[in-house]
Each structure stands twice: as C-alpha cells, then as structure tokens.
Amino acid sequence: EILTSLFEISNLPFFNGIGFTLRGHSKRISNIINLPPFDLSNNTTKIVSYSWDSTIKIWDITTQSLYASLPPVSEEDIIIAVIPLYTSHTLQNKKNPILLMAVTWDKKVIIYNIITNTIHYQTTIEQYGELLWAIKCDNYLLTSSYEHDIRIWTIPNFFHEESLIEALLKRPEDANDNNKRFTCIHILQGHNDAIPRMIQLKDKRIASCSWDRTIRIWNLNTFVCEHTFKVYEDKLTQLLQLNDMRLACLSLNGVVRVLNLYTK
C-alpha cells in the first residue's frame, strides 16, 4: 500500500522493480514520509527521509535528486519522527517560515526552517525513558517512550498549523522564549510496556500499539481509553489504518493481524 501510494503520487511507472535509487545516508534509514508541497505554484513531489546517521534529507522525486540536507542532530542522538508544521493555509503568507519539526530519542524537539536550511528553534521536553515515536494531532504533539505512557504536549501558537499567521502578525510582542514552550497537559496511562507506534484515526481518535501485546483506542477529547484489543502474538511494532477503517498491526514475529474497529 505504501509503495503503491508513492508511485501514484510521483506518477512513475512501476516495472516490477526499482525505478531509481536515492543515495546519501550513511546508516540505516528510520522512516520516509511524503512532504506536503511548500510551493503552491509548483507541484513537484518531495519526500523526507531520516536516518540513524542523525540527518534529515529532503528528496525531489521529480528530478530524482537531493533537494536539501538539514543540519544534523548530535551523533549520539537518533531522530524518531519528522512532522511538517505548515499547510496550504500558512503558505498563503509568503513571509511565513516553512517549518519542519523533528523529535529525537533524547527528547529534543527541533524546528527546522526548510527554505533557509537552519534550525528555527530547539527545546527539550521532560519524559522518562528514551522516546520511541511522536505524532502531531491538531495542535498537540503526542510522544511515547519505553516507560509505558503517552504524553500530550501543547504546541506553541507560533508553530500551529492554522494560527501561525495570526500569532505572528497580531501579537508580535509574544515572540519570546516563554511562549515557545511545549507544555504537557495530560498523560495517557494503560499500557504496561514500551509503545513503539501511535497513529491518528480518521475519526480523530488515537490508536497505540505496545510490546504488552495490546492496542488501545484513545479519545483525545476525554483522554479516556475507549477500547483495548488484546493480540496474542509477539510484541507489536507497527500500526496502519486501512481505507475501509480496519486496523492492521504487525508483531515482532512477522504476523500481520487485521482488526475491525466497528465490531471490535
């Protein structure tokens, strides 16, 4: 499904093999994501890859070349998630910076300016244990770790998708470090082992999978776990929502199980 979507977006033929190879990372690649267009007049497709070599690279699929390599994090750190902070709404004001957020194993949150290839802002959040995964849901950042919990952080107004323009233009006096802090507003507890993956479902709820062999469905409005799937396989490592609203999970022993969110 991932391969199909990549080739559909890039309009490249797929001849039962590799169309082309992008080289540049020196260590294993952690993940690849599609990057929303940041030039409204240019529909070229770009992807972002981040690696254990502590770098983030932006690739232009149309030209099959490296578009940008962002400043690396420290060599001892590992990037666990990269999240775009811009939308077509924020791009309407060309003075707005085009920002990309990276979250690291060592609990750092780094905001990059894609156009200038610079670090726009950097901070460290407080959470026990090394981070495993992070996602953005509306104006919240969710992080999970080896320590069994999911923390919900408010993203400062200056980095919100929909309010970035208003915050910068209407309240320039607020542009100081005190208003750029990530604040933990709630901790989701229920898992009793590491949580390697979370996803936002199409109905805005959150699904998380854990090494405790369970998948939990969370309501972010009430901060309540609405259902727990018990999967009697090995430790769970991956989660994906399918187009028909079912949920697919992958366990460490290679078993894929498909769950029905409606019938539970």
Side-chain angles (χ1 to χ4, degrees):
E1 187 172 340
I2 294 172
L3 284 174
T4 301
S5 65
L6 282 175
F7 279 102
E8 284 177 353
I9 291 172
S10 59
N11 294 316
L12 293 172
F14 185 60
F15 298 110
N16 296 319
I18 298 175
F20 57 88
T21 302
L22 301 172
R23 291 187 175 90
H25 287 295
S26 60
K27 294 182 180 179
R28 61 182 289 185
I29 295 173
S30 301
N31 202 7
I32 302 170
I33 64 169
N34 288 314
L35 194 63
F38 51 80
D39 184 349
L40 298 179
S41 62
N42 189 345
N43 290 324
T44 58
T45 300
K46 293 181 175 62
I47 62 173
V48 172
S49 60
Y50 50 99
S51 164
W52 281 39
D53 64 9
S54 305
T55 66
I56 301 171
K57 296 185 183 297
I58 301 175
W59 308 89
D60 190 319
I61 295 298
T62 305
T63 62
Q64 304 176 19
S65 62
L66 178 66
Y67 174 82
S69 185
L70 300 177
V73 300
S74 63
E75 293 183 1
E76 298 78 20
D77 211 350
I78 297 174
I79 301 163
I80 56 122
V82 172
I83 304 166
L85 289 180
Y86 63 90
T87 64
S88 57
H89 175 75
T90 61
L91 293 177
Q92 291 174 3
N93 185 340
K94 295 184 178 180
K95 294 182 179 180
N96 266 347
I98 301 176
L99 304 178
L100 200 65
M101 177 166 61
V103 183
T104 75
W105 167 288
D106 198 28
K107 300 179 279 291
K108 291 185 179 64
V109 178
I110 304 168
I111 311 293
Y112 290 97
N113 186 322
I114 296 177
I115 301 304
T116 61
N117 279 17
T118 56
I119 294 177
H120 186 79
Y121 177 74
Q122 180 173 329
T123 189
T124 301
I125 58 178
E126 296 296 329
Q127 185 162 353
Y128 295 109
E130 293 84 1
L131 297 185
L132 284 174
W133 190 242
I135 59 173
K136 182 178 180 294
C137 301
D138 297 326
N139 292 332
Y140 298 119
L141 173 68
L142 275 66
T143 58
S144 64
S145 73
Y146 284 103
E147 297 300 321
H148 318 166
D149 60 19
I150 298 171
R151 297 201 174 217
I152 303 175
W153 307 83
T154 57
I155 300 177
N157 286 335
F158 292 92
F159 308 129
H160 283 178
E161 289 184 12
E162 303 302 331
S163 62
L164 177 60
I165 296 175
E166 291 80 0
L168 290 175
L169 298 182
K170 291 183 180 180
R171 298 185 62 83
E173 67 275 12
D174 285 347
N176 58 64
D177 286 341
N178 291 331
N179 293 284
K180 292 183 179 180
R181 292 179 179 172
F182 287 74
T183 303
C184 181
I185 62 168
H186 200 80
I187 301 175
L188 302 179
Q189 296 178 321
H191 287 297
N192 55 35
D193 208 335
I195 306 167
R197 197 67 77 207
M198 303 171 289
I199 61 171
Q200 184 174 21
L201 303 176
K202 293 176 182 178
D203 60 9
K204 301 298 184 180
R205 293 184 297 170
I206 299 299
S208 60
C209 68
S210 170
W211 288 2
D212 65 9
R213 297 172 172 81
T214 67
I215 294 172
R216 289 180 176 264
I217 309 298
W218 308 88
N219 187 320
L220 282 191
N221 293 321
T222 60
F223 303 124
V224 170
C225 177
E226 295 185 341
H227 187 72
T228 301
F229 290 96
K230 294 183 179 180
V231 182
Y232 297 101
E233 298 292 346
D234 206 342
K235 297 177 179 180
L236 299 178
T237 60
Q238 273 283 8
L239 210 51
L240 175 71
Q241 183 168 18
L242 305 178
N243 290 332
D244 60 3
M245 297 296 287
R246 290 180 300 168
L247 202 60
C249 64
L250 173 67
S251 58
L252 203 60
N253 62 358
V255 174
V256 176
R257 189 177 290 267
V258 179
L259 310 173
N260 192 315
L261 289 172
Y262 291 118
T263 64
K264 299 182 174 62

